[in-house]
Amino acid sequence: MNTPPHVDISICICTFKRAALLDGLLDALTLQQTGTLQIEVIVVDNDPQGSARPVLQKWHNQLPYPLYSLAETTPNIAVARNAAVGKAQGTWVLFIDDDEMPDANWILSMIHTQKTYDADAVFGPVLPRYTDTTPSWIIKGNFFYRRRFQTGTIITTQDARTGNVLIRRACLKNIHGPFDTNFGRTGAEDTMLFRDMIAQGATLIWCDEATVTEEVPSSRANLPWLIRRSYRLGQTYILSETARLSGMPYLRRALYLGGRGAIQLAIAVVLTLLALPFSRITAITWLRISSGQCGKLSALAGHRYHEYGN
């Protein structure tokens, strides 16, 4: 019997109707510095129409690593990520989104940090990649900025995400799913995963050198999208905070979060109105906070905003 080849890292990509961006990402992977690491690439097409098929057929014989493609026709990001993890053979699973592009030393930076800090998961920065048509106020307002930390910083669920993260596959095996499909349309499936990992004693570490860029398309570089995004994040915060509670513990937590959200909404609305005559960017910042609080309150009322799969 032939022994399966050892795989160090399984790069997992879930894609949904972004064939051109996926093509650019796979091209960027050919430039990776990998040393002696054994790499495989797994792509899960979550589009029922199979829009990624031509790109995957193109790269099957061109990528310098084994490429495995899966079709998952249920539009649900958690289902797609679970399929990728189920196919992965590597000691490590390295997630990157289909609209992201890594620096050439991305993989080596991740591995170096993991070894230095004996981490179970390593997170890296996701920097915005603007188009020429991006409005100047979007760039000036840093609305697509995500917090960065010094390498070695311990990360909590507040900054944990699956875009640009290296995870020990053994940790994923110990968690049911491992991504919770109940959050696959709303978001927060990654929050729930990392919450479970931390509960099991996993160490989550930041690597500031392992940078990727993420395209900010015109469909997102506008005020309506920013408001919807804040609303959705407010909802997913509540859903993740109350998901494992029931009975009186749920009621106490819901009442506390709802009361706090209502107070924060009132303050944010007032500050939005006060800032409007003086600074558009400041007013939008407070408007987004207002939208986030509305998302929290609507989630407690039972409304669900499905961002994924549309």
Side-chain angles (χ1 to χ4, degrees):
M1 178 181 295
N2 293 330
T3 302
H6 172 74
V7 178
D8 295 299
I9 298 176
S10 300
I11 301 176
C12 292
I13 306 163
C14 296
T15 187
F16 183 79
K17 296 183 179 181
R18 293 197 283 210
L21 290 172
L22 174 64
D23 184 59
L25 169 57
L26 294 176
D27 186 41
L29 291 182
T30 66
L31 305 177
Q32 280 296 300
Q33 303 296 317
T34 59
T36 60
L37 295 169
Q38 297 299 305
I39 309 293
E40 68 176 6
V41 177
I42 299 166
V43 179
V44 180
D45 186 0
N46 203 206
D47 179 8
Q49 305 303 316
S51 55
R53 190 177 303 115
V55 172
L56 294 171
Q57 290 174 343
K58 165 189 170 182
W59 283 103
H60 263 297
N61 295 322
Q62 296 186 33
L63 209 62
Y65 327 106
L67 172 61
Y68 303 99
S69 57
L70 305 173
E72 178 47 68
T73 58
T74 302
N76 181 305
I77 188 62
V79 171
R81 285 175 175 154
N82 287 342
V85 172
K87 181 66 176 177
Q89 304 176 77
T91 304
W92 296 91
V93 173
L94 181 52
F95 279 103
I96 185 169
D97 290 346
D98 60 354
D99 58 349
E100 296 175 348
M101 296 187 68
D103 289 346
N105 290 316
W106 172 57
I107 293 176
L108 293 182
S109 296
M110 282 285 195
I111 291 297
H112 175 73
T113 297
Q114 187 282 316
K115 290 180 177 178
T116 301
Y117 297 94
D118 191 24
D120 297 297
V122 181
F123 299 84
V126 179
L127 311 179
R129 189 171 70 247
Y130 297 110
T131 66
D132 293 338
T133 60
T134 302
S136 59
W137 65 268
I138 288 279
I139 300 173
K140 185 178 179 181
N142 280 328
F143 293 114
F144 290 89
Y145 171 80
R146 299 177 184 179
R147 296 198 304 175
R148 298 177 69 170
F149 305 92
Q150 182 177 346
T151 296
T153 301
I154 295 176
I155 297 301
T156 67
T157 54
Q158 183 177 357
D159 296 285
R161 57 185 182 275
T162 43
N164 194 16
V165 59
L166 179 76
I167 308 174
R168 193 187 302 272
R169 188 161 67 95
C171 291
L172 298 176
K173 289 181 178 180
N174 293 332
I175 298 172
H176 177 69
F179 291 95
D180 190 335
T181 57
N182 292 321
F183 292 84
R185 296 287 305 280
T186 60
E189 78 292 336
D190 44 6
T191 300
M192 300 306 296
L193 169 68
F194 296 119
R195 178 169 291 169
D196 289 341
M197 287 180 60
I198 291 172
Q200 294 184 6
T203 301
L204 282 54
I205 293 294
W206 185 262
C207 174
D208 204 51
E209 294 77 27
T211 57
V212 306
T213 61
E214 179 183 53
E215 181 181 80
V216 179
S218 58
S219 60
R220 295 185 178 186
N222 56 75
L223 182 58
W225 188 91
L226 291 174
I227 298 303
R228 290 195 302 271
R229 179 70 167 183
S230 297
Y231 181 88
R232 199 273 291 180
L233 291 176
Q235 283 213 337
T236 57
Y237 173 77
I238 291 294
L239 295 177
S240 63
E241 284 290 314
T242 60
R244 305 286 167 79
L245 302 176
S246 61
M248 285 304 298
Y250 170 82
L251 183 60
R252 284 194 296 267
R253 187 65 174 159
L255 287 174
Y256 169 74
L257 293 174
R260 189 177 69 175
I263 294 171
Q264 290 173 331
L265 173 59
I267 294 172
V269 168
V270 171
L271 291 175
T272 300
L273 296 174
L274 290 175
L276 191 57
F278 305 101
S279 171
R280 179 186 186 185
I281 289 175
T282 302
I284 290 173
T285 299
W286 284 111
L287 181 60
R288 293 181 66 203
I289 294 173
S290 301
S291 180
Q293 308 317 309
C294 289
K296 292 177 182 179
L297 297 174
S298 68
L300 289 170
H303 177 255
R304 300 293 180 266
Y305 175 63
H306 292 164
E307 181 176 25
Y308 298 107
N310 297 316

